[in-house]
Amino acid sequence: MSKVFFVLGKSCSGKDTIFQFLKDNKELDLRTVVGYTTRPMRAGETEGVEYHFVSEGMLEEMKKKGMVIECRDYNTVHGKWSYFTADDGQIDLGKGNYIYIGTLESYNDMVNYYGKDVVVPIYIEVESGERLERAVKRERQQSEPKYAELCRRFLADEEDFKEENIAKAGICKRYRNQDLDKCIAEIVETMKEI
């Protein structure tokens, strides 16, 4: 049976780096699913790679067509940004395994849509102080750093990923990203077993 390996964790936990490695691992032969967002593209991002960057109007049109599997709206210091997954033909459970990246909320919605037997969580953890240092370093690299948004996102993740929310989602296995190579090796081993 096909699986959707779902990478999730708080911001700056290293999930994007881990996602990229797993995606590029030829031995795993994973198909990618590109999510959608209405937020502006960050420096270094490419349309259709990290996300499909769409307008609010396009999101509403896709909702009307019944294409939206899950959608998360964030009231940021720069206005409302939406992140969502669409049933746009990217996932065909008869054709191999997939990898996706998202939030705990989007993980729960994907499980509701595809089933717990299909969606496999890859939950990445990093100590909060280390995460905050990484976030500030990443934000400094932006042409116009948005530190207020960084703080909002950091605090929102602390709330969203409370222990009771993780338990309620049925996530038991955690991958601690203190040593990136060891963390990736543990994830790959688990994926091969599944």
Side-chain angles (χ1 to χ4, degrees):
M1 174 186 291
S2 293
K3 301 290 183 192
V4 177
F5 292 100
F6 197 106
V7 179
L8 69 159
K10 297 174 185 175
S11 58
C12 291
S13 61
K15 62 185 179 295
D16 292 317
T17 301
I18 291 168
F19 171 85
Q20 189 66 41
F21 178 87
L22 297 172
K23 181 182 85 156
D24 293 343
N25 185 319
K26 301 280 188 231
E27 191 178 1
L28 295 174
D29 192 29
L30 299 169
R31 298 165 187 258
T32 58
V33 179
V34 179
Y36 291 77
T37 186
T38 61
R39 78 153 164 78
M41 197 179 308
R42 291 180 184 148
E45 290 183 324
T46 304
E47 161 59 33
V49 176
E50 291 83 10
Y51 292 100
H52 292 292
F53 296 91
V54 298
S55 67
E56 191 68 36
M58 180 65 159
L59 168 57
E60 291 307 314
E61 187 177 314
M62 293 172 83
K63 282 181 179 178
K64 287 178 187 173
K65 292 179 180 178
M67 295 176 65
V68 177
I69 294 172
E70 59 84 24
C71 182
R72 295 149 278 124
D73 297 323
Y74 299 99
N75 294 314
T76 76
V77 295
H78 303 285
K80 184 177 108 174
W81 291 348
S82 299
Y83 293 81
F84 63 101
T85 309
D87 189 352
D88 59 0
Q90 290 185 72
I91 297 176
D92 179 347
L93 296 178
K95 295 185 177 177
N97 296 312
Y98 295 82
I99 189 159
Y100 190 71
I101 189 169
T103 65
L104 185 59
E105 181 183 359
S106 60
Y107 166 76
N108 287 327
D109 289 340
M110 290 284 274
V111 167
N112 289 337
Y113 193 84
Y114 289 109
K116 190 112 178 118
D117 56 328
V118 171
V119 184
V120 178
I122 305 292
Y123 180 54
I124 312 300
E125 282 190 324
V126 169
E127 186 272 325
S128 292
E130 174 67 21
R131 223 169 42 77
L132 187 55
E133 287 177 19
R134 290 179 184 184
V136 170
K137 183 179 178 183
R138 181 175 76 180
E139 200 60 35
R140 279 192 183 123
Q141 295 173 353
Q142 299 299 312
S143 58
E144 292 182 35
K146 296 175 174 69
Y147 295 111
E149 174 56 20
L150 176 155
C151 292
R152 183 210 62 81
R153 198 168 58 239
F154 184 87
L155 293 173
D157 279 351
E158 291 297 306
E159 182 68 22
D160 292 345
F161 285 93
K162 284 183 183 176
E163 285 301 317
E164 60 258 30
N165 293 343
I166 295 168
K168 186 177 178 183
I171 297 173
C172 301
K173 179 81 173 149
R174 298 166 190 237
Y175 301 90
R176 299 204 187 280
N177 186 12
Q178 292 176 324
D179 179 310
L180 181 62
D181 292 334
K182 286 181 182 177
C183 182
I184 289 172
E186 184 183 357
I187 293 168
V188 169
E189 183 180 325
T190 301
M191 292 172 81
K192 287 179 180 178
E193 289 172 5
I194 293 172

